[in-house]
Amino acid sequence: MNPPEIHVEVAPELALFVPHARRTGTHPLAVDGVSTLGHVVESLGVPLTEVGTLVVDGREVPVAHIPADGERVTVRPVDRPQQVPGAPLRFLLDVHLGTLARRLRLLGVDTAYESTDIGDPALAARSAAEQRVMLSRDRGLLRRRELWAGAYVYSTRPEDQLHDILDRFRPDLAPWTRCTACNGLLRTATKDEVADQLAHGTHRSYDVFAQCASCGRAYWKGAHHQQLEAIVEDALSMRARESRG
């Protein structure tokens, strides 16, 4: 006797997660009558963090749905902008996303980051404890049940990563208000307050400073400011276009 079988179509936005043979069209898939549809989708390689809705024979169903023989399933991506209810929107990034973390902090987005590999269980536990959206390219990490929320980072290029996260979550932006090193909040500082961090040329050439209230790091419009300004302006322009659209 043949096992029960369903027919699954995965949205193009999620095609990179599934084997090449399943990336277009509808394909048969054997089921056991016990496993949930969420488990079945994960078995195809699609993290549930990337699934918006599951549609069975034209109706939306929860991930706990037990698929039955002959059902036709469509796996859709998350809607954008994605709503994350229950806490202020803030992020946690794994060890591989340091540049993205610094750029989000530059834009004033609350972004925790682990500069060393503390392991998936610890990252998932921190996500839950602090109610932070876990950003990662590690599909195994995003499958951990204890995560509060998560999202896959699709690109390896920091510019594209930033654009994707800003488009997906639409976080509030407050550029130049967070420390890019530790995520603490910045405050205006006098030259005397940060003098011990300034080389002689910097002390002579600059008069406007900020300092992190958490780690004490000093900031001023130095050699890299133009590059940072370009990142900020690009993000603000993107937000303006979203508002008009």
Side-chain angles (χ1 to χ4, degrees):
M1 183 176 181
N2 293 329
E5 189 176 77
I6 62 175
H7 300 272
V8 181
E9 180 182 14
V10 176
E13 295 90 338
L14 304 176
L16 79 160
F17 296 112
V18 301
H20 281 278
R22 294 183 176 276
R23 291 190 173 182
T24 58
T26 302
H27 300 274
L29 183 68
V31 293
D32 59 14
V34 176
S35 299
T36 67
L37 187 53
H39 179 81
V40 171
V41 169
E42 284 188 323
S43 73
L44 290 174
V46 184
L48 291 182
T49 59
E50 306 312 294
V51 175
T53 54
L54 296 169
V55 179
V56 173
D57 295 335
R59 73 185 192 283
E60 291 187 15
V61 300
V63 294
H65 173 80
I66 306 297
D69 187 36
E71 289 183 338
R72 302 186 72 84
V73 178
T74 301
V75 183
R76 295 177 177 170
V78 293
D79 292 331
R80 295 191 177 212
Q82 182 178 351
Q83 302 299 313
V84 183
L89 181 61
R90 50 195 174 193
F91 299 101
L92 170 62
L93 279 62
D94 69 18
V95 67
H96 304 291
L97 298 174
T99 300
L100 176 60
R102 288 187 292 274
R103 293 187 179 193
L104 286 169
R105 290 170 175 175
L106 175 66
L107 297 173
V109 179
D110 189 341
T111 305
Y113 164 66
E114 293 291 348
S115 60
T116 57
D117 189 357
I118 64 173
D120 291 0
L123 283 169
R126 184 174 181 186
S127 166
E130 299 180 12
Q131 294 188 317
R132 291 181 179 273
V133 180
M134 183 78 240
L135 302 183
S136 179
R137 287 180 52 79
D138 182 343
R139 302 182 199 182
L141 171 57
L142 294 176
R143 289 181 63 173
R144 298 194 70 90
R145 293 292 180 259
E146 62 268 39
L147 278 180
W148 182 72
Y152 184 76
V153 177
Y154 286 80
S155 176
T156 58
R157 298 180 67 250
E159 295 82 2
D160 296 336
Q161 291 173 347
L162 182 61
H163 280 194
D164 184 48
I165 296 306
L166 294 182
D167 175 70
R168 177 167 175 170
F169 292 101
R170 309 281 173 89
D172 293 334
L173 304 183
W176 316 109
T177 61
R178 286 190 180 271
C179 176
T180 57
C182 81
N183 196 44
L185 294 175
L186 301 183
R187 63 173 183 82
T188 301
T190 66
K191 184 181 292 189
D192 288 342
E193 287 176 307
V194 298
D196 60 338
Q197 299 184 52
L198 307 180
H200 181 68
T202 302
H203 192 284
R204 185 178 63 250
S205 304
Y206 298 94
D207 295 305
V208 178
F209 298 91
Q211 187 174 31
C212 177
S214 296
C215 73
R217 179 171 176 169
Y219 289 87
W220 61 91
K221 295 182 179 180
H224 300 293
H225 184 76
Q226 189 172 2
Q227 178 185 356
L228 300 178
E229 186 73 49
I231 294 171
V232 170
E233 290 302 321
D234 182 57
L236 294 177
S237 295
M238 178 180 174
R239 181 55 47 84
R241 291 193 298 272
E242 291 167 350
S243 299
R244 291 195 298 268

